[in-house]
Amino acid sequence: AKSYVFDPVAGTYTVTNDLPGGGHWYPSLTALGTGDVIAVGGLDQNAAGSVATEQFDSTQGRWLPAAQVPQTFFFWGLYPELKLMSDGRLFYAGVHTFSNAPTAAGSNIYDPATATATVNDVPGLRDVNLRDQGASVLLPPAQAGRVLTLGGGNGDAGADAIASTDLIDLRQADPHWQPGPNLPAAKMYVSAVILPDGLVLETGGGRHLRSDPVHEASLYDPVTNHFTSVPADPQDRTYHSQAFLLPDGSVAALGNNPLDGSFSQIISVYRPWYMTRTRPSITAAATFGYGSHQTLGVTGDIGRVTLLRPASVTHQADPNQRSVDLPVTAGQNGQINVDVPANPNLLPPGYYMMFAQNTAGVPSVARWVRIG
């Protein structure tokens, strides 16, 4: 039940109050537009499925008593990936760790703000009981409201992994899943990482429970809806593996915990095409307020500026990964102007990596900015 707040500037942890529901194992933590954090899913201290919804109040710096948090008494599975929608609701894309889907539909929309929090099914997701340790990603830009779910399996059932992907547009009044293009290889334990050029790297994976590693990687283009193969990670990446974006635009991949109990400590780094190009730069940036108009110092002919939230990933699950485009207008003397969205549900408060992309599609190295 212990809980701590990490200060990334000071590099220190500060203890806060215990989780009100007691011990909590394998929950997902999803940041809200208010800056609060919702914890759902996982197991309690007795290894039973936890149906508690717990909320960390960012203003008070503490977990709220259970009576102050709307409850669904719904079991989300272990490490369920929930994505914050632009209207403040949370979307469950069907990806979790271990076992079957928590509902027959496999996918849900959850409103945490109602007095009695509601969970509604979302139709159309295929292979709902074969999404164990697949991946889901809020496609760039987040303003488009589109989610892609990739691969998965069912380790408990010993089933073969799948190559299926499914797409959904959450801006629709009645959103429903549509089939996407198959992955180049069937796999669970697949990681999906948004790159600053607007593509998504999928990497790692295995065919069965902690075994049969798959050495394959590709880039997904949300515009063309197509996967293009890239060099694969030479290391096995199955159970307890993950991948995440670094501020220079490369991707780190690490971990692997096969059935023999060993754990790989070898880190791989994927360097996208733009790492060998002459890159633009951002020479000045600051803390950004919602709805503000900002002036940035840049070098190069800049056509796009993007904010990418840093990783909060485990077991391939990263509920908070998102890429938000900032509208750009030309400035003077090596400057450009950008508009920061006013909607905190689109851009939850906190730190982001800001990338400027030139008109040839080459992104800068990131500068850290704080939103809110």
Side-chain angles (χ1 to χ4, degrees):
K2 296 298 180 186
S3 185
Y4 302 83
V5 175
F6 178 67
D7 185 330
V9 177
T12 57
Y13 286 94
T14 302
V15 67
T16 185
N17 62 319
D18 287 354
L19 288 159
H24 207 158
W25 188 38
Y26 277 50
S28 286
L29 301 175
T30 305
L32 304 180
T34 59
D36 290 2
V37 176
I38 288 285
V40 297
L43 307 176
D44 63 20
Q45 67 269 27
N46 299 313
S50 175
V51 297
T53 300
E54 297 174 303
Q55 183 169 347
F56 184 81
D57 187 302
S58 60
T59 302
Q60 300 181 45
R62 68 184 185 93
W63 293 96
L64 296 175
Q68 296 181 21
V69 181
Q71 298 292 325
T72 64
F73 303 108
F74 182 92
F75 178 56
W76 291 98
L78 277 59
Y79 284 139
E81 280 210 49
L82 275 67
K83 310 293 186 185
L84 179 65
M85 299 169 60
S86 60
D87 61 5
R89 293 180 298 166
L90 293 168
F91 174 65
Y92 173 56
V95 172
H96 55 276
T97 298
F98 307 134
S99 194
N100 292 334
T103 65
S107 182
N108 314 93
I109 290 178
Y110 159 46
D111 188 348
T114 55
T116 302
T118 54
V119 178
N120 295 312
D121 287 346
V122 174
L125 183 67
R126 298 175 296 163
D127 303 314
V128 296
N129 290 324
L130 294 173
R131 296 296 181 169
D132 172 13
Q133 290 170 97
S136 70
V137 60
L138 179 63
L139 291 172
Q143 286 94 330
R146 299 173 68 235
V147 173
L148 174 72
T149 290
L150 311 88
N154 191 321
D156 290 353
D160 292 342
I162 60 173
S164 301
T165 76
D166 290 275
L167 287 157
I168 193 167
D169 184 348
L170 297 175
R171 297 170 303 174
Q172 296 177 343
D174 185 21
H176 55 278
W177 290 97
Q178 298 290 342
N182 278 356
L183 288 165
K187 53 185 176 176
M188 57 194 294
Y189 309 115
V190 55
S191 293
V193 181
I194 300 172
L195 302 182
D197 63 356
L199 303 182
V200 178
L201 172 70
E202 63 84 13
T203 183
R207 290 274 294 173
H208 297 99
L209 176 67
R210 301 173 74 169
S211 64
D212 303 321
V214 175
H215 294 275
E216 179 278 331
S218 65
L219 294 174
Y220 175 76
D221 187 334
V223 176
T224 63
N225 193 30
H226 180 73
F227 288 97
T228 301
S229 293
V230 297
D233 187 343
Q235 300 296 317
D236 296 350
R237 303 293 182 198
T238 63
Y239 188 55
H240 284 141
S241 67
Q242 55 196 305
F244 52 87
L245 182 70
L246 300 175
D248 69 353
S250 62
V251 175
L254 63 155
N256 184 53
N257 185 198
L259 288 170
D260 64 9
S262 64
F263 187 84
S264 173
Q265 297 187 48
I266 298 173
I267 298 173
S268 302
V269 176
Y270 171 71
R271 294 172 58 82
W273 65 274
Y274 47 75
M275 303 293 287
T276 60
R277 304 297 197 271
T278 300
R279 302 176 70 176
S281 64
I282 306 171
T283 60
T287 299
F288 293 171
Y290 289 108
S292 63
H293 185 73
Q294 302 286 339
T295 299
L296 306 178
V298 296
T299 63
D301 185 12
I302 303 302
R304 179 170 172 255
V305 174
T306 302
L307 296 177
L308 278 89
R309 195 170 178 92
S312 57
V313 58
T314 184
H315 290 70
Q316 298 80 49
D318 192 346
N320 302 298
Q321 183 180 204
R322 62 179 53 222
S323 174
V324 179
D325 280 356
L326 304 184
V328 177
T329 54
Q332 296 180 349
N333 301 320
Q335 295 181 332
I336 59 171
N337 302 310
V338 296
D339 292 310
V340 181
N343 181 3
N345 294 319
L346 180 65
L347 194 64
Y351 289 96
Y352 287 79
M353 291 178 280
M354 183 170 65
F355 293 91
Q357 188 180 109
N358 67 21
T359 51
V362 178
S364 67
V365 171
R367 290 187 67 98
W368 288 100
V369 298
R370 185 167 185 168
I371 303 298

